[in-house]
Amino acid sequence: MAEIKCPMCGKPNPDDLDACQFCEARLKPVTDELSRSQPPIHVGDEPTKKDTAELEPVLPKWLREVRQQARESVEEQDEEQEQQEPVGAGDQHEDLLAGLQSDIEEDEIVPDWLSNLHGGEPSEIQDAIEISEDRLRAISGDAESSNSDMGTGDRLPGWASHPDAAQETREGGETLGDWLAREVGKEKAQEAGEKAPEESRAGFGLRGDAETDLSFQGESVDESAQFEGEIPSWLRVDENDATSEGGIGTKPLEEPAYREAPEDVQVGESAQDEPVDAMPDWLSSLGEETDGHQAGGDETVAGNGQAVKDDQGPPGAESELSFGASRPESSDEDEIPAWLAQMGEEEHQDEAVHSASEAGPEERIPRPAVQPEADEGWQDLSEVKPFALEQDVVPNEAADGSALLGEEDGAGPGEDVDALFSIEMPDWLSAVEQSAGPQASPEPEADSEVIRPAELPSWVQAMRPVEAFVSGEGAGGERSDTEQKGPLAGLSGVLPLVPGVGPSSKPKTYSIKLQASEDQLASAEQLEQLLEAESYPRPAIPRPGLPAQRWLRMTIFALLLIVVGFFLFAGTSVMYIPLSVTAGTAQALNIVREELLPDAAVLMVFDYQAAFAPELEASAAPLVDHMMLLKHPRLTLLASKPSATGLSERFMHNTQPGQSYVNLGYLPGDAAGALAFVENPRSAKPAIVDGQSQWETPALQGVTLVSDFAAIFLLTDEADTARIWIEQLHNRRGATRLVLISSSQAGPLLVPYMESGQIDGLVVGLEGGAPIEKVNSNRPGTVRRYWDAYGFGLIITITMIVAGSFWNLFSGWQANRKKTGEK
Amino acid sequence: MRVLSIVTAMVFGLFVLFGYFFPIENLQALRALLLHWAIILAAVAMFVGGINLLSVHLVKIRAQQKNSVYSGLLVFSLVTALLVGFIWPDPSGQALRFLMDAVIVPAESSLLALLAVTLIYASVRMLRRRVDLMTFVFLGTVLFTLLAAMPTPFGKLPFLSDLLGPFLMGPFASGGMRGILLGVALGALTTGVRVLLGVDRPYGEK
Amino acid sequence: MSIPTEVLYSALSTLVSFLVTIVILSYVIGDNPFFQVVLHIFIGVSVGYVLVVAWNQVIWPELLHPVVAGIALQDLRAVWLLLPLVGSLLLLMRAVPRVAILGQLPMAYLVGVGSAVIVGGAVLGTLLPQIDATIGAFDLRSARLHPFLTLFSSVLILVGVLGTLAYFHFGARQLEDGTIRRNALVGALTWIGRVYIAVSLGVIFAGLVLTALTAFISRVASFRELFDALDAIGKHF
């Protein structure tokens, strides 16, 4: 079986385990199956419905965690792991929101919480729309004209250069509709065109027919504010930020990068100004992170990574903090991954996208997909912190736009353009550029001139973060998420995971809460606490006293002990030992008394375990003693179980002290050993002691085959092992007599062999040994010693079974009667 | 390795099986050699089991897992038994006999003694859990068999020991036992043939 | 005052045996640390004992010593033992996860040979003889009892055998209406087989009770053996 090394403790585990058997850490990514089952989405693909409503409930949790992790990351900036945690969270964040959105699209039901969000952030949603619109313009329609704008880092695209663009879109939902009808129509002209007017108001309608949104969309932001108390804190915070910053709230709606540069710059600042509580958790945490950055310098605005570097270390470390998994080491270009280095170059070149798309992702993970760049782009995107995205919107946009164009230029129109588009959606590229910018070497900017208008794919499809993230995850497997159980609980970035998918243990409950009416929302917090309490183990309260069953067992034990102990210690001889014997016992006795010749070679096979030693010693001792007294046979011992070697010695020591015998020892191999011995005993068991074969001793002289033994006594406690010997000896033992001395439990199953003539004698248990011992002048006396205790023990046993059975029968009947009466 | 394992099992297995039906002298000699190898390997396999047990408990001790003290005791007693056995290898000697008489036999037979309590308890509770014809047949058989085996101060119980007991143990039980034995043999035959044909590979292959 | 070694050994052995018994029987009250301690010691000693036996009685005398001696004496017979020696080494590799796959080969050998022996034994040692015995029971010439009783007994056994086998037969026929039913005769035999199996298992269960009771008695008897051993020691003072 294959093994998996636990990422936590490093110990090997069977690959079928999900959690480490040593430390209970998760061995397989939760998303493993998901990423495999969901192939990457390529630009232009037909949208597929995806129900991500289950992800909703996770939001509050991870947001809190992100916040916490961000704090930790600020405190422990030199630890790479913790720097990655916010990245995973950021991914989760985007992913989750995308999931929410797609949920709305598919179900056409807008939960209250979503309406609230919508109402609270209409402008933000529209920001995203507007951004997209602008972007689309830049890419397609306006591509020719915006080529130069986007080509340089300083020059922002037209949409990005208007700080008020977001405000405009807030107010003018109609614009969006127009835009949709115009742009999306290229791919899904009819559908998008029809829905556009409505969706333009809804914001969310970008991707679906959120009819219900419309009603809420009509409400003002002020109206939405009245639900603030009912909205989860993270939504409220979002709203605040959105109002003040004009667009932060849209980040979760998967288009955070496409925002205006001034706003993005302000985001970082506002994160410090605003009280943490007033922000979404993830934002606030990021804000703290920003604080950390700013403490080191004032470069937060310009480059998140750089700022931190100023404070504590080389610039590379700073950029790591902000980009987590990307971890560009900007100090030394040689150490920078190719894709990152190129990104850095892009920062300084307006058309840096060209190099980024060419060399970056592809080099890292070559993929045979039609649009490998798109997948890689998403994968890298998944590693980017949300905060980084926001901070670098301006350069991002510039870079993204140019990247798109540059890619188109390099790879040609069509699918490659789509792939580029998907790459540039997140602004991690620009974020990297920001951090790596100072060290990045300039690149030729010639590509920017080759930019041609892109033929727009169904970018809406391509921008769906959830699916894209999933696909990217499957390809790269570099994602991380927070561990939920085991010693890793609370740690992020330990194992690859698609953000937002893993911690969905209570989706239904959250969903119910969030979709509930206003009244129910009021108690959401309490419900959440209740649910959380459910997941915590409660200390078991020990029951007072012992359960009835244990009392019953103890009573049985005590009764047996008293009865058996009394007769054993008293040494009475009350019970009569009858001389009537079973046919098997009679035949065994007859063999010993009549058939065996004096001084005959007799083999005793010990085939029982130590637990049965008392019974088998008591049962076999009289017959063996009788044989030894009458015939003085040459005894040879053989053990077919390892511990039976010692048991054979024990048997002889206890019952036949002073007798000479040959102990061949242990014969391994079960059936194979038995067959080998039966066919060629000397070869199977050479039994060499001190250089001398036991077969050369007087006891075994003349014995070369198993049939040379006059009799074989098999002492067994198991019908199965006895069966092996009976089967192998069948037709091979010639005239050799086979006598079985078995425990009471194996005896019944051996009776058919007795009837078929495959064995010549059968002594079963104390009952079989008792008459032989009596015949043998009560030698060695073990059965006699046990006999009274055995008899009275049986009496008390039968009594208990009968009484208990009747009692249980009666009580059961009474209980049934009571039930029937109740019915 | 996979193919080699299957081929090994099939070839040597079929070779040994043919030895049952074709008693050719040279074939039998080679078969005896193969069986002796199997005996040796079976003994070594026990060593592998022992090593595995030891390693598992050593890991527990090293990791200081819960109840690792017990693992320590187990390892200690195992090593002690090994030392005793290597120093005084004679099984009839007092050293190894002491291990058998003082620890192994008392421990195992005490566990079996506990089974007596459990079995009686199960019998008592049987009619509480299930009341149907087969339960009565089963419980009745148990009681009659025990009664037939029960010694009394005046010998065996007359009717039960002389008539009912032999009847139960005779044709009735014998018929059922024989049926069970045949069923077991058929099962063993089927399983063995599946192994010999490579359908089942219980030696590490899936 | 000199106490014979055998008496001392007996006293010590009985004392330890008594303690082990008491602690294990205490399980009837409930699991407890003493029980766990004794249980783990017992397992360790048992495994150690088994390993010692395997080494002292098989591996060394039948494998390693002949090989060493054969090499030393240039005895060609030792060559035959090189193969099981290699197999043993491969088998030991099962304990090492990285190379455990190499242990498949000797395991396959063991399983193949064992299966062949079981198949041969089952056919020649159980199936044929038991079928023969079931049929032969109707041979009234060799009957020890009254022919009628012998015939009756043989019929009972035959019905029991067929019924038990029918009980483990799960074949059924699908009727036209889609329902799956057993043949009526097989169904009747199955019911009879259930009765036979219930009786057989009842007898086996009773046998197990008797075995366990004997073990119980032997353990209680060990208490007395302790007194006897102490008494034997006391006689030497």
Side-chain angles (χ1 to χ4, degrees):
Chain A
M1 180 182 288
E3 288 182 341
I4 304 175
K5 269 199 171 183
C6 174
M8 183 63 183
C9 63
K11 292 171 184 168
N13 288 277
D15 65 347
D16 55 347
L17 290 182
D18 291 324
C20 177
Q21 59 187 340
F22 300 100
C23 65
E24 295 183 351
R26 186 167 53 232
L27 293 172
K28 297 171 183 172
V30 175
T31 59
D32 188 35
E33 195 175 342
L34 181 63
S35 57
R36 263 186 269 120
S37 63
Q38 296 183 350
I41 290 175
H42 303 293
V43 179
D45 286 354
E46 195 67 20
T48 51
K49 282 202 169 190
K50 179 175 174 58
D51 186 3
T52 55
E54 290 179 356
L55 306 178
E56 296 166 16
V58 189
L59 279 172
K61 193 171 183 179
W62 70 261
L63 281 174
R64 283 198 300 273
E65 288 171 357
V66 168
R67 183 178 175 181
Q68 179 61 31
Q69 289 160 6
R71 285 196 193 111
E72 292 170 4
S73 67
V74 171
E75 292 168 2
E76 306 167 17
Q77 291 172 5
D78 46 344
E79 293 182 11
E80 292 180 0
Q81 283 285 345
E82 298 194 14
Q83 289 171 353
Q84 293 176 7
E85 286 170 7
V87 174
D91 298 335
Q92 206 173 37
H93 148 76
E94 285 195 66
D95 190 13
L96 283 169
L97 287 174
L100 297 180
Q101 196 165 1
S102 64
D103 184 39
I104 294 165
E105 297 163 11
E106 292 165 13
D107 297 336
E108 300 188 3
I109 297 169
V110 179
D112 291 345
W113 65 270
L114 189 51
S115 307
N116 293 343
L117 171 66
H118 208 175
E121 324 269 35
S123 60
E124 299 148 14
I125 296 159
Q126 289 165 358
D127 277 354
I129 297 163
E130 185 199 41
I131 289 163
S132 306
E133 180 187 4
D134 289 338
R135 193 160 177 267
L136 284 169
R137 280 201 201 106
I139 292 165
S140 57
D142 305 335
E144 297 96 330
S145 60
S146 64
N147 254 353
S148 58
D149 293 340
M150 299 171 73
T152 59
D154 298 333
R155 286 171 291 177
L156 296 174
W159 59 271
S161 63
H162 297 293
D164 299 329
Q167 283 296 337
E168 291 171 11
T169 45
R170 272 176 225 150
E171 295 160 7
E174 296 299 329
T175 314
L176 176 67
D178 296 339
W179 165 80
L180 266 181
R182 192 174 63 247
E183 299 294 342
V184 180
K186 291 179 181 177
E187 294 281 332
K188 308 168 187 176
Q190 294 305 319
E191 284 183 21
E194 287 166 9
K195 293 173 183 175
E198 294 174 356
E199 294 168 357
S200 64
R201 294 177 64 209
F204 283 110
L206 248 179
R207 297 205 187 158
D209 4 288
E211 303 287 343
T212 45
D213 281 345
L214 297 176
S215 60
F216 193 81
Q217 189 64 29
E219 297 173 24
S220 67
V221 177
D222 294 335
E223 283 174 343
S224 69
Q226 69 186 355
F227 296 104
E228 229 175 57
E230 300 161 5
I231 301 172
S233 60
W234 61 278
L235 288 180
R236 259 182 269 137
V237 171
D238 208 30
E239 178 183 347
N240 292 336
D241 289 338
T243 312
S244 60
E245 303 297 332
I248 295 174
T250 56
K251 254 187 189 294
L253 300 178
E254 77 187 43
E255 283 293 294
Y258 307 116
R259 198 166 299 173
E260 300 169 359
E263 284 184 5
D264 289 317
V265 173
Q266 287 166 9
V267 168
E269 295 166 355
S270 70
Q272 301 165 1
D273 300 334
E274 291 277 338
V276 174
D277 291 341
M279 300 175 68
D281 290 341
W282 63 275
L283 266 184
S284 61
S285 64
L286 295 168
E288 289 172 20
E289 201 174 303
T290 313
D291 292 343
H293 291 245
Q294 287 181 344
D298 16 306
E299 300 173 12
T300 313
V301 173
N304 43 22
Q306 290 292 329
V308 188
K309 281 187 177 180
D310 291 345
D311 196 2
Q312 293 183 357
E318 300 298 336
S319 59
E320 281 181 22
L321 193 142
S322 53
F323 293 104
S326 302
R327 229 178 281 159
E329 297 176 7
S330 52
S331 59
D332 185 4
E333 197 171 330
D334 294 339
E335 297 172 7
I336 301 173
W339 61 274
L340 185 54
Q342 289 179 354
M343 282 180 234
E345 294 163 8
E346 291 162 17
E347 168 76 82
H348 293 279
Q349 305 164 18
D350 297 342
E351 307 87 14
V353 189
H354 168 66
S355 58
S357 57
E358 267 187 9
E362 288 178 2
E363 282 184 8
R364 282 205 314 159
I365 305 169
R367 303 185 68 187
V370 179
Q371 297 167 339
E373 298 87 348
D375 293 336
E376 292 303 325
W378 278 113
Q379 185 180 337
D380 289 336
L381 171 67
S382 66
E383 301 168 2
V384 179
K385 278 180 166 181
F387 181 63
L389 298 175
E390 287 186 5
Q391 279 190 329
D392 304 319
V393 164
V394 176
N396 279 355
E397 279 307 323
D400 287 347
S402 59
L404 176 73
L405 296 171
E407 178 66 11
E408 184 187 336
D409 182 49
E415 291 179 349
D416 291 336
V417 174
D418 298 344
L420 282 170
F421 198 100
S422 64
I423 290 174
E424 70 179 355
M425 269 192 57
D427 53 355
W428 62 274
L429 281 174
S430 58
V432 175
E433 290 165 15
Q434 289 277 348
S435 61
Q439 295 90 23
S441 60
E443 273 279 308
E445 303 175 0
D447 290 342
S448 64
E449 299 174 8
V450 203
I451 293 174
R452 297 188 190 104
E455 183 181 344
L456 272 182
S458 59
W459 62 272
V460 176
Q461 168 70 58
M463 285 176 10
R464 296 176 72 177
V466 169
E467 293 158 13
F469 271 46
V470 169
S471 64
E473 195 63 28
E478 296 177 2
R479 316 309 315 267
S480 64
D481 192 33
T482 305
E483 285 291 321
Q484 296 298 314
K485 57 186 274 193
L488 296 180
L491 290 180
S492 294
V494 179
L495 286 173
L497 176 68
V498 170
V501 175
S504 57
S505 56
K506 295 176 284 194
K508 299 289 181 189
T509 315
Y510 262 112
S511 187
I512 289 168
K513 275 199 302 179
L514 293 171
Q515 293 176 9
S517 66
E518 297 172 10
D519 294 338
Q520 289 169 317
L521 282 171
S523 59
E525 197 69 25
Q526 289 180 345
L527 185 58
E528 187 179 350
Q529 288 173 358
L530 280 173
L531 290 169
E532 281 181 3
E534 284 293 317
S535 62
Y536 290 106
R538 288 181 226 159
I541 303 165
R543 292 182 186 175
L546 291 169
Q549 295 178 357
R550 191 173 292 173
W551 277 114
L552 182 56
R553 281 201 195 97
M554 288 172 64
T555 307
I556 293 169
F557 177 80
L559 281 172
L560 270 181
L561 187 64
I562 290 167
V563 171
V564 168
F566 174 78
F567 286 100
L568 275 175
F569 277 86
T572 59
S573 299
V574 179
M575 293 295 183
Y576 177 75
I577 295 179
L579 282 173
S580 63
V581 292
T582 61
T585 307
Q587 286 192 37
L589 202 55
N590 188 55
I591 289 168
V592 167
R593 296 175 71 131
E594 309 295 336
E595 296 186 17
L596 270 186
L597 296 174
D599 199 33
V602 172
L603 175 69
M604 288 182 68
V605 180
F606 287 79
D607 183 51
Y608 59 87
Q609 298 169 33
F612 300 87
E615 185 188 21
L616 280 163
E617 285 171 5
S619 308
L623 188 67
V624 173
D625 191 60
H626 200 61
M627 179 177 66
M628 298 300 286
L629 284 174
L630 291 178
K631 308 292 179 178
H632 304 288
R634 291 174 283 141
L635 268 189
T636 303
L637 313 184
L638 181 72
S640 61
K641 289 190 168 84
S643 59
T645 310
L647 292 173
S648 63
E649 293 290 348
R650 177 187 148 101
F651 179 89
M652 295 306 292
H653 183 266
N654 289 346
T655 63
Q656 300 295 323
Q659 285 285 355
S660 61
Y661 56 89
V662 170
N663 195 340
L664 295 177
Y666 170 50
L667 176 71
D670 292 332
L675 175 63
F677 189 86
V678 167
E679 291 202 332
N680 195 340
R682 290 188 176 221
S683 160
K685 193 64 197 169
I688 298 167
V689 177
D690 298 330
Q692 187 194 358
S693 173
Q694 296 289 297
W695 293 96
E696 306 303 328
T697 56
L700 284 170
Q701 275 184 354
V703 178
T704 52
L705 299 170
V706 79
S707 56
D708 292 332
F709 288 108
I712 298 172
F713 289 80
L714 176 64
L715 285 70
T716 183
D717 63 339
E718 251 183 283
D720 279 343
T721 51
R723 185 168 57 84
I724 286 173
W725 279 97
I726 293 168
E727 286 174 347
Q728 302 306 329
L729 282 168
H730 185 66
N731 288 339
R732 286 193 181 85
R733 60 185 168 96
T736 303
R737 295 303 195 175
L738 177 60
V739 177
L740 261 69
I741 303 163
S742 82
S743 69
S744 296
Q745 67 156 359
L749 272 168
L750 300 174
V751 170
Y753 289 115
M754 183 73 205
E755 292 174 348
S756 67
Q758 289 179 274
I759 55 178
D760 301 309
L762 179 62
V763 178
V764 179
L766 276 189
E767 203 188 347
I772 302 176
E773 190 178 85
K774 192 170 185 180
V775 169
N776 196 37
S777 309
N778 285 332
R779 277 174 55 111
T782 313
V783 179
R784 179 66 262 180
R785 201 149 43 90
Y786 288 176
W787 197 245
D788 277 17
Y790 183 73
F792 285 105
L794 265 180
I795 290 172
I796 196 71
T797 298
I798 293 167
T799 308
M800 283 191 286
I801 291 176
V802 170
S805 296
F806 273 114
W807 169 255
N808 281 310
L809 196 62
F810 177 72
S811 59
W813 173 74
Q814 229 176 7
N816 281 338
R817 200 177 156 196
K818 197 178 278 183
K819 278 183 186 174
T820 313
E822 286 174 358
K823 282 181 182 175
Chain B
M1 184 58 72
R2 182 172 174 269
V3 175
L4 198 60
S5 300
I6 296 170
V7 169
T8 302
M10 289 177 69
V11 167
F12 288 105
L14 290 173
F15 188 84
V16 171
L17 184 61
F18 288 152
Y20 276 101
F21 306 101
F22 304 103
I24 304 164
E25 193 173 341
N26 289 336
L27 192 73
Q28 295 295 334
L30 189 56
R31 189 186 184 212
L33 187 67
L34 294 179
L35 290 170
H36 189 228
W37 289 356
I39 290 172
I40 292 170
L41 288 176
V44 176
M46 289 189 343
F47 246 85
V48 176
I51 291 169
N52 191 45
L53 180 87
L54 200 61
S55 64
V56 166
H57 283 276
L58 284 174
V59 166
K60 278 189 176 180
I61 295 167
R62 213 173 293 150
Q64 292 188 336
Q65 289 181 14
K66 190 182 174 186
N67 295 333
S68 58
V69 178
Y70 298 140
S71 298
L73 277 171
L74 188 146
V75 171
F76 174 77
S77 56
L78 195 153
V79 172
T80 305
L82 279 177
L83 287 175
V84 167
F86 287 134
I87 295 170
W88 298 285
D90 183 9
S92 60
Q94 283 187 339
L96 283 181
R97 246 190 335 122
F98 180 82
L99 294 181
M100 183 59 73
D101 291 343
V103 181
I104 298 175
V105 169
E108 283 198 27
S109 53
S110 297
L111 290 168
L112 187 60
L114 282 178
L115 186 64
V117 179
T118 307
L119 292 175
I120 295 170
Y121 173 78
S123 307
V124 166
R125 300 278 296 177
M126 195 170 287
L127 284 177
R128 180 83 168 192
R129 297 179 180 275
R130 186 174 171 180
V131 182
D132 59 11
L133 177 65
M134 290 306 153
T135 309
F136 280 109
V137 170
F138 176 84
L139 208 55
T141 307
V142 171
L143 285 173
F144 284 129
T145 309
L146 289 179
L147 281 169
M150 187 181 75
T152 65
F154 43 85
K156 296 266 182 178
L157 291 174
F159 172 74
L160 286 168
S161 300
D162 300 343
L163 202 62
L164 192 58
F167 180 72
L168 280 176
M169 285 294 293
F172 229 91
S174 190
M177 301 293 178
R178 188 166 287 169
I180 291 173
L181 280 180
L182 288 173
V184 169
L186 285 170
L189 174 65
T190 312
T191 308
V193 168
R194 285 174 66 87
V195 170
L196 291 178
L197 295 180
V199 180
D200 284 347
R201 298 185 282 275
Y203 34 81
E205 292 288 345
K206 290 178 182 176
Chain C
M1 180 201 69
S2 65
I3 304 172
T5 315
E6 191 62 30
V7 174
L8 265 181
Y9 166 85
S10 175
L12 189 62
S13 167
T14 321
L15 180 65
V16 175
S17 164
F18 171 79
L19 292 175
V20 168
T21 302
I22 287 287
V23 170
I24 289 186
L25 290 183
S26 74
Y27 186 77
V28 80
I29 301 169
D31 197 0
N32 58 76
F34 298 109
F35 174 78
Q36 290 295 331
V37 165
V38 169
L39 194 67
H40 281 78
I41 290 174
F42 155 66
I43 293 170
V45 169
S46 296
V47 174
Y49 192 93
V50 165
L51 296 186
V52 162
V53 167
W55 177 268
N56 286 340
Q57 299 191 2
V58 183
I59 297 173
W60 173 251
E62 295 183 23
L63 178 66
L64 296 180
H65 183 263
V67 168
V68 172
I71 292 171
L73 300 172
Q74 294 183 339
D75 187 353
L76 286 180
R77 283 176 296 179
V79 173
W80 288 109
L81 287 174
L82 288 177
L83 279 173
L85 183 65
V86 171
S88 302
L89 293 174
L90 292 176
L91 204 54
L92 285 170
M93 288 180 183
R94 285 183 76 86
V96 185
R98 285 185 183 176
V99 290
I101 193 171
L102 294 174
Q104 275 184 16
L105 212 57
M107 280 304 293
Y109 176 81
L110 272 178
V111 169
V113 170
S115 300
V117 175
I118 285 173
V119 166
V123 173
L124 299 176
T126 294
L127 281 176
L128 295 181
Q130 290 302 315
I131 291 170
D132 185 44
T134 308
I135 296 168
F138 288 92
D139 184 3
L140 301 180
R141 288 171 297 179
S142 59
R144 284 173 294 182
L145 301 172
H146 188 275
F148 177 75
L149 281 178
T150 305
L151 186 65
F152 178 68
S153 172
S154 303
V155 168
L156 277 180
I157 290 174
L158 179 65
V159 170
V161 170
L162 295 179
T164 308
L165 289 175
Y167 180 76
F168 292 113
H169 172 71
F170 300 106
R173 195 192 302 170
Q174 189 167 14
L175 301 180
E176 290 177 356
D177 58 353
T179 56
I180 297 173
R181 276 188 191 172
R182 275 181 163 178
N183 182 287
L185 180 64
V186 174
L189 268 177
T190 299
W191 191 88
I192 295 170
R194 285 183 67 194
V195 176
Y196 270 89
I197 285 176
V199 170
S200 301
L201 294 183
V203 171
I204 292 172
F205 186 88
L208 188 56
V209 170
L210 293 175
T211 295
L213 182 65
T214 309
F216 190 91
I217 291 166
S218 76
R219 285 303 87 212
V220 179
S222 72
F223 299 168
R224 182 174 170 171
E225 287 165 10
L226 176 66
F227 292 125
D228 292 344
L230 293 177
D231 188 44
I233 288 182
K235 283 178 184 171
H236 290 86
F237 284 99

